[in-house]
Amino acid sequence: MDNTVNRATEINIGISEKQRDDIADSLSHLLADTYTLYLKSQNYHWNVTGPQFHSLHEMFEEHYRELADAVDEIAERIRALGHFAPGTLNQFSEMSSVAEEYDVPEAMEMVQRLVIAHEQIIQTSRNVVAISEEADDETTLDLATARLKTHSKIAWMLRAHLQ
């Protein structure tokens, strides 16, 4: 599927079309990972049980709300680069490196799975950083660096629950 926008108006932002294609592709994977983690976090928010119910319920809600904002920011950057953002569950499933959920694990297993998912997004974000640096795309670099910072902090905080 060609996800480029009709080039009726040429994009002239100092980044070549090939570089924009590569950046948009890497951002599309980040978008898929982020959306999948959004769904996972919301699922856990709804279904967590046990002695730490309240604190985990609140934390998971905080996480999925932050992810909802990130999804929008990533998709809008893809559009600014002249591409259509993926936007279906099928596309996200095909592109995401974050595992989907098919069960309802115990609370601490939820936390462990979230650590793994955030660490995966850190890796995906690092790819976006590398591609953006090569293209001198400071805007995407800033977005990806912010995602790295956010996911690193959340992974650390989640790991603290497992000790």
Side-chain angles (χ1 to χ4, degrees):
M1 176 181 124
D2 181 16
N3 70 341
T4 56
V5 177
N6 182 334
R7 300 255 189 247
T9 305
E10 189 61 33
I11 297 172
N12 185 14
I13 59 173
I15 303 170
S16 74
E17 184 175 348
K18 168 72 168 104
Q19 289 172 318
R20 287 193 322 273
D21 292 347
D22 292 344
I23 294 165
D25 182 62
S26 70
L27 283 170
S28 293
H29 287 277
L30 181 59
L31 179 61
D33 282 357
T34 303
Y35 197 86
T36 304
L37 180 55
Y38 164 82
L39 290 174
K40 182 185 298 260
S41 298
Q42 193 169 51
N43 175 20
Y44 289 172
H45 165 76
W46 292 330
N47 292 306
V48 68
T49 60
Q52 293 183 313
F53 165 79
H54 184 72
S55 62
L56 291 176
H57 179 78
E58 294 295 318
M59 182 174 63
F60 296 161
E61 181 176 8
E62 181 181 318
H63 293 174
Y64 80 70
R65 288 181 185 272
E66 190 283 328
L67 290 162
D69 290 339
V71 162
D72 195 53
E73 183 179 11
I74 296 164
E76 287 179 356
R77 183 62 188 152
I78 293 168
R79 294 293 292 130
L81 292 167
H83 290 262
F84 289 111
T88 68
L89 292 176
N90 187 47
Q91 288 172 313
F92 291 148
S93 179
E94 289 175 2
M95 298 177 78
S96 182
S97 55
V98 173
E100 284 190 80
E101 293 300 316
Y102 297 98
D103 61 348
V104 179
E106 297 294 322
M108 288 301 105
E109 179 64 20
M110 289 177 176
V111 172
Q112 180 62 46
R113 290 181 188 184
L114 287 172
V115 168
I116 292 166
H118 282 279
E119 289 176 344
Q120 183 56 56
I121 292 182
I122 289 168
Q123 294 175 44
T124 303
S125 296
R126 288 188 186 286
N127 184 53
V128 176
V129 165
I131 292 169
S132 300
E133 282 179 331
E134 186 175 315
D136 292 325
D137 178 0
E138 293 84 2
T139 303
T140 303
L141 181 59
D142 183 55
L143 182 156
T145 302
R147 299 313 311 151
L148 279 170
K149 180 179 178 183
T150 298
H151 291 288
S152 294
K153 184 174 182 178
I154 292 172
W156 158 62
M157 293 179 140
L158 288 166
R159 273 190 230 96
H161 283 273
L162 299 173
Q163 297 178 356

